[in-house]
Amino acid sequence: YLDCVGTSLAAMIVPAMGSSLKHAQQGNVVRILALPMIIGTFLGATSGSTIASMTTDDGILKWSFAGIVGSIGLRYIFGR
């Protein structure tokens, strides 16, 4: 299961890079925000994959993901 998730994530890198470059060429990227977003994405992906590899119980991962998505949803509904 975790091998499939890792492979899927790796397979998204090249299309995402291509899309990002195309948007940048069209002027749709706020360049001052690009580097912080790249750094945040790298740190999030690295820490997330490290945490995911520490557990063999996919239930923990599912509930953790649900909690994160739920908290983001509540923030959007109720504001900061």
Side-chain angles (χ1 to χ4, degrees):
Y1 170 75
L2 294 177
D3 289 339
C4 295
V5 172
T7 303
S8 296
L9 289 172
M12 288 188 280
I13 292 172
V14 174
M17 287 174 53
S19 299
S20 298
L21 290 174
K22 187 66 174 174
H23 280 288
Q25 289 172 348
Q26 294 175 347
N28 298 327
V29 174
V30 179
R31 294 188 185 269
I32 197 163
L33 298 177
L35 184 59
M37 289 190 68
I38 291 169
I39 293 170
T41 300
F42 175 76
L43 292 175
T46 304
S47 61
S49 63
T50 301
I51 292 168
S53 69
M54 291 179 182
T55 181
T56 57
D57 183 9
D58 64 345
I60 294 171
L61 296 176
K62 289 177 185 178
W63 282 106
S64 299
F65 182 73
I68 292 168
V69 171
S71 65
I72 292 170
L74 290 172
R75 184 174 175 192
Y76 276 111
I77 292 170
F78 298 110
R80 294 177 188 232

